[in-house]
Amino acid sequence: MSDYLLGGKDNFAADREFAESLMAIAPEVKTMAVDTRTFQERVVRFLVDQGVRQFLNVASGLPTRRNTHEVAQELAPDARVVYVDDDPVVLSHARALLARTPGTGVVKGSLLRPAEMLADPEMLRLVDFREPVGLLIPARLQYLPDSDEPYKCVAHMRDHLSSGSYLALGHAVFDTRPELAAPLVELFRQIVARADEVPRTREKVLRFFDGTELVEPGLVYIRQWRPEARESVTRAQRVWIVGGVGRVP
């Protein structure tokens, strides 16, 4: 869906149909997909500036524009990036389009099985967990109900990182758009088990950063997270995704 909303061609009929259903309820979803991508790019640039040279992009989705390794290696050619997903179609595309780049790998793994993911041989070939790592979870947690224990899974990954690592994530919230919660939950029942458990407020998303030190400006609407001069921060809350970066002490 993200690729379709970004104007790409690596998507399928089911993706397009569901994305159109989303936009019928919330037309700003298309803008949100673009903003999520630009937020992720700003985060990667920030982490490179902090000296991070290893990146773990969890639930990466289909390859699209300005992928993590392209941004990181443009600034630091020695940067290493591992993409993780559990969708076989995503993995096939990622291995064909991304893994050809030196210093870039693709791992079959799930956010909900962190120990297995972190022990994967390809992961260990590219990532030295004794050194700082940038852990990116840009757009998956919002689909995981509390009963799947996503807080516990994120904490497991955080505890595996060395001091000086960073956790970065984005998450849809309904604090400023409560009228969208019910229709979107009903729509997502088609693809997400226990969809009624998923809508989270900013305060609930903040719990994912337990055990880290939030860097400025904290957990904010993604347009407000270290925007560049050319980027608009007007009506930031209309893009109802919050994002932040926490440093592992």
Side-chain angles (χ1 to χ4, degrees), residues 191-205:
I191 59 171
V192 180
R194 305 176 302 284
D196 54 322
E197 297 179 30
V198 175
R200 296 188 177 99
T201 63
R202 177 188 173 280
E203 289 305 309
K204 290 185 176 180
V205 175

Side-chain angles (χ1 to χ4, degrees), residues 34-35 37-43 45 66 71 74 223 225-234:
V34 175
D35 282 9
R37 206 70 190 177
T38 56
F39 164 68
Q40 183 175 332
E41 183 170 342
R42 293 198 305 273
V43 167
R45 290 201 300 267
R66 298 293 287 167
V71 178
E74 185 177 276
R223 282 189 178 180
W225 199 89
R226 298 176 178 256
E228 297 188 354
R230 68 179 186 277
E231 295 174 327
S232 171
V233 296
T234 58

Side-chain angles (χ1 to χ4, degrees), residues 18-74:
F18 199 88
E20 291 292 340
S21 297
L22 278 175
M23 287 190 288
I25 298 171
E28 64 268 32
V29 165
K30 191 177 183 71
T31 301
M32 290 164 66
V34 175
D35 282 9
T36 296
R37 206 70 190 177
T38 56
F39 164 68
Q40 183 175 332
E41 183 170 342
R42 293 198 305 273
V43 167
V44 172
R45 290 201 300 267
F46 167 76
L47 296 183
V48 170
D49 286 345
Q50 302 309 302
V52 175
R53 294 295 182 268
Q54 305 181 110
F55 295 86
L56 178 50
N57 193 342
V58 178
S60 55
L62 283 166
T64 182
R65 303 174 183 184
R66 298 293 287 167
N67 296 290
T68 299
H69 75 282
E70 294 170 317
V71 178
Q73 293 172 358
E74 185 177 276

Side-chain angles (χ1 to χ4, degrees), residues 39-40 42-58 68 80 82 111 117-118 127-138 141 153-170 208-218 225-226 243-249:
F39 164 68
Q40 183 175 332
R42 293 198 305 273
V43 167
V44 172
R45 290 201 300 267
F46 167 76
L47 296 183
V48 170
D49 286 345
Q50 302 309 302
V52 175
R53 294 295 182 268
Q54 305 181 110
F55 295 86
L56 178 50
N57 193 342
V58 178
T68 299
R80 302 187 302 280
V82 176
L111 175 61
M117 172 181 63
L118 294 168
V127 178
D128 181 356
F129 286 102
R130 298 169 298 181
E131 299 294 328
V133 174
L135 171 59
L136 313 175
I137 313 175
L141 291 167
C153 295
V154 171
H156 183 104
M157 288 187 285
R158 178 204 66 215
D159 291 345
H160 198 74
L161 304 178
S162 69
S163 175
S165 294
Y166 291 84
L167 166 65
L169 62 87
F208 286 112
F209 290 100
D210 286 353
T212 72
E213 301 165 346
L214 274 173
V215 303
E216 291 294 334
W225 199 89
R226 298 176 178 256
V245 176
R247 184 181 184 277
V248 178

